[in-house]
């Protein structure tokens, strides 16, 4: 469906742009995208499988890690239908209702991942600051309540976004900038007042920034605790338990903040850079988090290696 010339006719479908300049090569672009999606699903399901089946991994740290895996899976599944549909089958159109639903799930799992990372930072602080009381502070029931609270809070936070988009009127323009729907991308196409969408979208984005502030504060407290440890060997051992989480935080926040900075301060940059940065933000964390935790977490690494070696035997 091409852009509508009659501004009185309301847009009922949107067009996904994919990667500009590579329209004729989308079938080849689909190969690395499909490979990334496949590895993301395989990695996250592998971690979930071992956490589920190995009793030694039934601890708060690994329960929080399973929440992170669910967030990564949700993020991948949210963008997969339109991304592969566009690159594999050249399906550029998406119904407005489907677009609003997709942006809801993408933003929901984004803020959920930020929330889980903040809770995991607190988990590391408790484990280092008060290891003897760790199991009594972070009990299974408290972990479950935390997961339910975070999920409920994020659903109520993001739920208004699709309804705010639905109340807008779209006429003339219907070309989106990515291979999936985002709130800020859709609301720019509205020909009615979208100030409420802008304000509420900033409030929703602020939640991820507050999570980053909490993570930073947690690591300041962790460093303060580590400095108080007398043995340098114990200091290194304590910090080593945080490496996987620190990598996950960087993998999530660096692409997100980079994409936000490009959108805000580098509007003259090529549109392809903006699009590739947004794709990196959605694709890289679900791909890299399982790899990081399998490589850097000894318990998971030993379980995976042991299972692979036993199958080969």
């Amino acid at each position: 469906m091409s852009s509508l010339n009659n501004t009185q006719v309301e847009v009922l479908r949107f067009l996904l742009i994919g990667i500009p300049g590579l329209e004729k090569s989308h079938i080849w672009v689909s190969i690395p995208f499909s490979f990334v999606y496949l590895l993301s699903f395989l990695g996250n399901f592998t971690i979930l499988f071992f956490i589920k089946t190995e009793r030694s991994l039934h601890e708060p740290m690994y329960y929080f890690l399973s929440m992170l895996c669910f967030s990564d899976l949700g993020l991948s599944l949210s963008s997969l239908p339109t991304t592969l549909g566009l690159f594999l089958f050249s399906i550029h159109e998406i119904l407005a209702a489907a677009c609003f639903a997709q942006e809801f799930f993408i933003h929901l799992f984004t803020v959920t991942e930020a929330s889980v990372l903040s809770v995991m930072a607190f988990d590391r602080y408790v484990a280092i600051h008060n290891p003897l009381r760790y199991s009594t502070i972070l009990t299974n029931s408290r972990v479950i309540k935390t997961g339910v609270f975070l999920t409920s809070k994020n659903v109520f936070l993001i739920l208004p976004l699709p309804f705010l988009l639905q109340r807008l009127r779209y006429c003339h323009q219907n070309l989106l900038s990515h291979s999936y729907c985002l709130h800020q991308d859709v609301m720019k196409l509205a020909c009615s007042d979208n100030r409420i969408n802008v304000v509420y979208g900033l409030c929703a984005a602020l939640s991820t920034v507050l999570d980053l502030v909490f993570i930073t504060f947690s690591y300041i407290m962790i460093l303060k605790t580590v400095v108080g440890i007398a043995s340098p060997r114990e200091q290194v051992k304590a910090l080593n338990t945080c490496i996987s989480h620190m990598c996950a935080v960087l993998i999530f926040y660096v692409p997100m903040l980079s994409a936000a900075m490009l959108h805000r301060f580098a509007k003259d940059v090529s549109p392809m850079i903006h699009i590739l940065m947004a794709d990196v933000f959605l694709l890289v964390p679900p791909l890299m988090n399982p790899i990081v935790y399998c490589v850097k977490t000894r318990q998971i690494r030993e379980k995976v290696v042991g299972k692979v070696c036993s199958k080969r035997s």
Side-chain angles (χ1 to χ4, degrees), residues 19-37:
I19 300 180
L22 297 177
E23 289 83 0
K24 294 182 179 179
S25 304
H26 274 176
I27 187 64
W28 298 107
V29 174
S30 68
I31 296 175
F33 274 81
S34 300
F35 187 66
V36 169
Y37 279 119

Side-chain angles (χ1 to χ4, degrees), residues 194-220:
N194 65 356
R195 283 178 292 183
I196 296 177
N197 295 70
V198 174
V199 173
Y200 194 84
L202 288 175
C203 292
L206 182 62
S207 69
T208 60
V209 177
L210 292 176
D211 286 324
L212 180 59
V213 171
F214 182 81
I215 292 169
T216 304
F217 177 75
S218 297
Y219 271 101
I220 291 174

Side-chain angles (χ1 to χ4, degrees), residues 285-298:
L287 170 67
M288 294 303 299
N289 284 338
I291 296 175
V292 168
Y293 275 94
C294 282
V295 172
K296 298 301 297 181
T297 306
R298 178 180 58 82

Side-chain angles (χ1 to χ4, degrees), residues 58-67 119 122-123 134-151:
H58 291 181
E59 298 178 6
M61 171 186 173
Y62 300 106
Y63 292 146
F64 290 132
L65 177 56
S66 65
M67 294 181 196
V119 174
F122 177 73
D123 168 81
Y134 176 78
S135 58
T136 59
I137 296 174
L138 290 173
T139 61
N140 290 344
S141 63
R142 285 178 179 170
V143 171
I144 293 172
K145 290 177 181 177
T146 301
V148 172
F149 171 76
L150 291 179
T151 302

Side-chain angles (χ1 to χ4, degrees), residues 196-260:
I196 296 177
N197 295 70
V198 174
V199 173
Y200 194 84
L202 288 175
C203 292
L206 182 62
S207 69
T208 60
V209 177
L210 292 176
D211 286 324
L212 180 59
V213 171
F214 182 81
I215 292 169
T216 304
F217 177 75
S218 297
Y219 271 101
I220 291 174
M221 299 303 294
I222 288 172
L223 289 175
K224 184 178 178 180
T225 302
V226 170
V227 169
I229 299 175
S231 170
R233 183 177 180 181
E234 291 299 318
Q235 290 178 338
V236 173
K237 183 179 178 180
L239 287 175
N240 192 51
T241 64
C242 300
I243 290 179
S244 299
H245 179 259
M246 287 189 290
C247 291
V249 171
L250 292 174
I251 289 168
F252 177 76
Y253 274 102
V254 169
M256 184 182 73
L257 295 177
S258 300

